[in-house]
Amino acid sequence: MTNMRTIQKRRTKILIQANQFMHRYLYGFPMFASVFSGHQNSICSERGFMNRRLRGVVLSASILLFLALQLPDLALYGDPASGILHGTTLDARGLVVPQAEVTVHGISDSTDRKVLSDQHGSFSIGNLAPGRYQLTATKQGFGGSQVTYLALAAGDSLSFEMRLGENNSAAASAASSAAVVAPAADPNAAADPNASSTVAQELEAMKERIAELEAKLNSNASPEPPTAAPSPAAVTPAVAAPAPANDPVLARRPEQGQTPAESSTAPAATPAPAAPICCTAEVTTKSAPFSFDNTWENNTPRNHDTPLATKYFVPEIRLDANYIESYNQPKDHTMGGSTESFRNGEFQLEQASFGGDLRIDNVRARVLTMNGLFATTTPRNDGSAGVGQWNLNDAYKYFSEAWGGYHFNVSHGLNIDAGIFVSYIGLFSYYNFDNWAYQPSYVSSNTPWFFNGIRIQWFPTDKLKIEPWIINGWQSYAKYNGYPGLGGQIKYIPHEWISMTFNNYGMGTDTLGVPGESRIHTDDSVEVRYFNQPENSGIDKAAFTFTFDAGCEYGGTGATKVNCHNDKNHQFKQSMVGWMLYDRTWFHKDLYAMTIGGGVLDNPGRYLTLLQPINGATAVSGSPYFPEVPGTPYKAWDSTITFDYMPSQFITFRFETGYRYANVPYFSGREGITPPGGNVAPVANNGSVGTASSYICTNGTTSAVSDFSPSSLGLAVDGVANVSKSCLQQYGSGFSLWQPDLRRSQWANTIAIMVKF
């Protein structure tokens, strides 16, 4: 009773502190003032939008509601009562056997837990109470594994290699019909000399019968002579211990590996086994790193197996189609300010990707194409294409990943790769199928999806990855100026229920045309699964993620120098601070899921704020209608509610509603962001030459380029009257300045169907 009161007091204290923090730092006023103050401080001028006071109350209530529901489970973190068994299923030659059934039999309570190993042979069975267990593995067409007895203590995490007999269905079938299988012996039973003698005689008879069958098989012509069958699996009672550090495990597992969900009942009979998969693009020397079930994590695909996998190649196919409806209803159907939401009121194919992982010996490679909207919307955010020739945006636009490298047998694995690879700065994956939400918050959407350069992945232990990067720049195909970018990731997963990722970047001079301006950035995330009962028909799993980002630019040339701290001495503060929080709950054995989350961004100087495609503008051309220069402010927040229906591991039906707000006009309004008659030509393919960086004149039906020279500081400095006068003098009566319809807020609904094989 005392413990429950203590937990209740702790929960109440945390809720009060969280509420005070949100009011003071997110909403800008004390907690009680948000409800009782009579000061009407409106955060936007448009009719019908929430004022600042109402926003504080509504968002506070929403966040505190799901925190209140989840905080009681935090008391479970320190409970070490359960253990976990994991390992790899292999054949007699040490090659991976996918889709093998692994059974853990509780000796004390006579219960069975069963899982299928994934395409890499990996399996994991958690939430096991301390006690004595019997571990076996089987698969159709293979001989049975050894029967391993073990004692599991509280908090243990034990690893095993489960080696099955030779994949020879005829020999296995005949041998099993002739052999007498001895029952598993109780390790605590006293030795019986007569029983031991009987078992020895039966084993000797089995060996003779197998040798006879082997001789018959060898005498028959076959395309590939069968290898010698191994000796029958002996029944060897033993108390298991964690695998020694020098015990080689030949399992192959990708960095973002998957482990099958558990089942309390035996699965349906599996079809005839495919060719054993011996390798993927990720191999390890000792034991597989991160050998946990991490399919619950945000940014990780939840697939348990790959049916199309072959011995050397694991193919990957991704399709993502959506329908997005913004309540602003832009008449040009164009949405801006996002790396996921592009067209309004239309069915669109966002991603169509084909490729996979290749490994032969220790040589590894991965290629994944990128088609659909992503092939246009991602390259236009890279300003490095404005440096030099060869139009790199076109050269790389159809590839999201393309790299090759080599695996060295060092520690738990050492990989050196070169090419284009994904960035996990901002936590969310480049691919929506892997994520908890379709539209991530600004901290993710405004940070890199890819890098171009070299990465080194070192796994000093099976729970730690250290990954340095030497890259061209911040999500750039080329170098903006004279220095490359340096950075790296440290990923640490001490237990299956918690994952920590730390990304850092520096040295890169990533501002187009400003060689002396450098960028630094840190991105840190924690993911916690605080509830896990996979057999529940109600809530079976729950987790949350929290990400914090901070960075800045400093240096520069001439009168446009910037710093990380303040606007003083003729310099401007150019920084980025933001965070995001998401909570996800799974239902009915992962058939359904709901995610609630959002975040905040403060980015003075707008150097990480996504430029809208106003009149076809890109990161190279820029736009006078939304200048991204030192001294310009940008603050924003957002929130989403996401519902997922997942009838298969290969498909997700997603329904999402989200609200986004900025302190300056930013989102597409009813009149859109396209000039009358379409974008004003000519505009070069990479946007570096043409009219996207110019003001536009229009008479309502025809648009043309103004001869007014923009100051790069926008209409706040250039003045609407001055540009309109230029349009009138240049084109005559009826022409005036055209302006895009930008609003401070956007509420949109999204329906998406996402497939991954």
Side-chain angles (χ1 to χ4, degrees):
M1 190 69 177
T2 303
N3 291 338
M4 289 301 296
R5 289 176 179 173
T6 302
I7 293 172
Q8 182 67 27
K9 289 180 180 179
R10 186 183 305 165
R11 179 178 64 177
T12 303
K13 182 178 180 181
I14 293 174
L15 290 174
I16 292 174
Q17 291 176 343
N19 197 18
Q20 290 174 341
F21 173 84
M22 285 185 295
H23 280 81
R24 185 167 298 279
Y25 296 104
L26 175 60
Y27 313 127
F29 47 82
M31 178 172 63
F32 297 106
S34 68
V35 179
F36 301 109
S37 173
H39 179 60
Q40 298 295 325
N41 185 9
S42 176
I43 86 171
C44 53
S45 59
E46 287 86 350
R47 183 177 59 185
F49 291 150
M50 293 187 297
N51 62 32
R52 189 171 191 173
R53 181 177 59 183
L54 180 58
R55 176 176 63 121
V57 174
V58 173
L59 191 56
S60 292
S62 301
I63 295 178
L64 292 175
L65 177 61
F66 76 76
L67 280 177
L69 293 174
Q70 313 302 351
L71 278 173
D73 294 304
L74 295 176
L76 299 177
Y77 291 171
D79 184 7
S82 62
I84 184 172
L85 302 178
H86 53 87
T88 311
T89 52
L90 310 171
D91 65 11
R93 297 170 294 172
L95 301 181
V96 166
V97 177
Q99 297 296 294
E101 182 180 87
V102 180
T103 301
V104 175
H105 174 73
I107 295 176
S108 59
D109 56 8
S110 297
T111 59
D112 287 342
R113 298 277 297 277
K114 301 175 184 289
V115 298
L116 290 178
S117 62
D118 63 15
Q119 71 268 33
H120 312 289
S122 298
F123 67 89
S124 178
I125 303 176
N127 297 319
L128 294 171
R132 293 166 52 242
Y133 294 92
Q134 173 184 300
L135 185 64
T136 57
T138 59
K139 180 171 181 177
Q140 182 180 352
F142 288 81
S145 71
Q146 288 183 327
V147 179
T148 301
Y149 289 93
L150 60 101
L152 187 69
D156 275 355
S157 178
L158 306 183
S159 179
F160 300 88
E161 282 186 358
M162 305 300 294
R163 291 184 178 263
L164 285 74
E166 186 68 20
N167 184 4
N168 191 323
S169 300
S173 176
S176 62
S177 65
V180 178
V181 179
D186 187 339
N188 296 325
D192 185 346
N194 294 329
S196 299
S197 176
T198 302
V199 170
Q201 292 175 5
E202 291 175 349
L203 290 175
E204 195 62 34
M206 289 171 63
K207 291 179 181 179
E208 293 177 358
R209 179 57 176 157
I210 289 174
E212 179 183 345
L213 292 169
E214 197 174 45
K216 290 181 179 180
L217 288 171
N218 289 334
S219 64
N220 296 328
S222 62
E224 181 178 352
T227 58
S231 299
V235 180
T236 57
V239 177
N246 59 356
D247 183 19
V249 176
L250 299 179
R252 317 304 199 223
R253 184 181 183 86
E255 174 186 341
Q256 297 294 333
Q258 298 87 32
T259 308
E262 299 177 14
S263 173
S264 59
T265 59
T270 57
I277 302 170
C278 73
C279 41
T280 68
E282 188 79 50
V283 296
T284 56
T285 304
K286 295 183 178 179
S287 62
F290 311 142
S291 56
F292 302 114
D293 177 5
N294 66 341
T295 57
W296 61 270
E297 292 183 20
N298 196 1
N299 80 25
T300 302
R302 70 178 193 281
N303 306 86
H304 302 313
D305 57 74
T306 305
L308 302 178
T310 64
K311 183 176 181 180
Y312 298 110
F313 183 65
V314 180
E316 185 169 323
I317 301 172
R318 291 177 179 264
L319 297 169
D320 177 358
N322 65 42
Y323 182 91
I324 302 175
E325 190 78 21
S326 168
Y327 286 90
N328 291 344
Q329 291 296 313
K331 66 181 184 181
D332 63 350
H333 302 278
T334 303
M335 303 172 69
S338 170
T339 53
E340 294 76 24
S341 306
F342 310 116
R343 299 285 297 182
N344 175 74
E346 300 172 345
F347 295 98
Q348 291 291 340
L349 180 64
E350 183 139 315
Q351 178 187 8
S353 296
F354 308 91
D357 296 290
L358 177 68
R359 181 182 177 276
I360 302 176
D361 297 326
N362 281 29
V363 180
R364 38 187 261 129
R366 175 172 172 82
V367 174
L368 196 65
T369 63
M370 181 59 76
N371 297 277
L373 285 174
F374 273 157
T376 293
T377 57
T378 298
R380 54 90 54 188
N381 292 323
D382 176 17
S384 70
V387 179
Q389 304 298 322
W390 304 119
N391 202 358
L392 297 182
N393 281 352
D394 280 352
Y396 288 117
K397 65 185 296 183
Y398 295 116
F399 293 94
S400 61
E401 297 178 72
W403 53 262
Y406 193 82
H407 169 80
F408 295 88
N409 296 325
V410 176
S411 303
H412 289 256
L414 174 65
N415 306 315
I416 300 179
D417 308 314
I420 298 176
F421 48 90
V422 293
S423 156
Y424 282 96
I425 289 182
L427 184 64
F428 277 67
S429 169
Y430 193 176
Y431 315 120
N432 294 325
F433 179 92
D434 303 346
N435 298 327
W436 290 1
Y438 203 83
Q439 174 61 66
S441 189
Y442 302 96
V443 165
S444 178
S445 195
N446 294 30
T447 50
W449 293 124
F450 68 86
F451 290 138
N452 194 359
I454 296 175
R455 69 177 180 188
I456 302 170
Q457 297 176 322
W458 177 41
F459 300 89
T461 75
D462 61 350
K463 299 178 181 179
L464 176 66
K465 180 185 73 169
I466 300 174
E467 181 179 306
W469 311 319
I470 305 173
I471 53 182
N472 288 337
W474 179 273
Q475 187 169 304
S476 62
Y477 296 123
K479 285 197 300 184
Y480 282 91
N481 297 290
Y483 291 95
L486 298 178
Q489 178 186 94
I490 296 176
K491 188 175 183 69
Y492 181 50
I493 309 181
H495 304 285
E496 181 178 330
W497 56 269
I498 183 170
S499 173
M500 292 172 280
T501 304
F502 309 97
N503 297 303
N504 290 280
Y505 175 86
M507 199 174 101
T509 51
D510 300 309
T511 301
L512 185 63
V514 186
E517 193 169 292
S518 298
R519 179 176 302 177
I520 56 175
H521 195 92
T522 184
D523 164 79
D524 307 297
S525 298
V526 60
E527 304 185 67
V528 176
R529 189 190 65 196
Y530 55 85
F531 182 80
N532 186 39
Q533 295 293 333
E535 301 308 316
N536 284 0
S537 57
I539 296 177
D540 62 84
K541 191 158 43 188
F544 76 84
T545 69
F546 178 76
T547 300
F548 177 79
D549 276 47
C552 70
E553 292 190 327
Y554 58 93
T557 57
T560 58
K561 290 185 178 181
V562 297
N563 66 76
C564 299
H565 309 294
N566 50 54
D567 297 332
K568 290 183 178 180
N569 301 321
H570 304 289
Q571 295 187 8
F572 293 97
K573 180 180 179 180
Q574 190 129 312
S575 66
M576 181 273 204
V577 177
W579 58 265
M580 60 183 181
L581 174 68
Y582 288 87
D583 186 273
R584 184 171 176 87
T585 304
W586 290 259
F587 304 89
H588 198 61
K589 300 181 181 180
D590 294 352
L591 181 62
Y592 308 100
M594 181 179 73
T595 303
I596 302 175
V600 172
L601 174 70
D602 184 8
N603 184 210
R606 301 179 183 174
Y607 69 97
L608 290 184
T609 302
L610 296 170
L611 176 65
Q612 316 93 322
I614 302 170
N615 188 36
T618 69
V620 175
S621 68
S623 173
Y625 294 106
F626 192 82
E628 296 181 314
V629 295
T632 53
Y634 185 80
K635 296 182 179 181
W637 66 271
D638 66 352
S639 61
T640 56
I641 301 177
T642 307
F643 298 90
D644 287 344
Y645 171 55
M646 300 166 287
S648 165
Q649 62 177 302
F650 305 112
I651 190 169
T652 297
F653 295 87
R654 178 159 292 173
F655 309 87
E656 182 172 284
T657 185
Y659 182 82
R660 312 182 80 202
Y661 173 81
N663 69 333
V664 294
Y666 184 64
F667 304 99
S668 298
R670 173 58 185 158
E671 296 303 314
I673 58 177
T674 304
N679 292 340
V680 179
V683 178
N685 289 334
N686 67 357
S688 60
V689 178
T691 60
S693 60
S694 303
Y695 287 113
I696 302 301
C697 302
T698 184
N699 62 5
T701 58
T702 301
S703 300
V705 182
S706 171
D707 61 0
F708 185 92
S709 297
S711 66
S712 80
L713 299 177
L715 287 171
V717 173
D718 296 335
V720 174
N722 293 332
V723 184
S724 294
K725 180 179 178 180
S726 172
C727 291
L728 180 63
Q729 293 175 346
Q730 185 177 0
Y731 295 107
S733 176
F735 279 87
S736 62
L737 170 66
W738 171 82
Q739 296 188 61
D741 183 5
L742 298 178
R743 309 288 178 90
R744 293 175 185 253
S745 68
Q746 174 183 279
W747 186 2
N749 297 324
T750 300
I751 300 175
I753 299 177
M754 299 169 289
V755 172
K756 176 187 176 292
F757 295 105

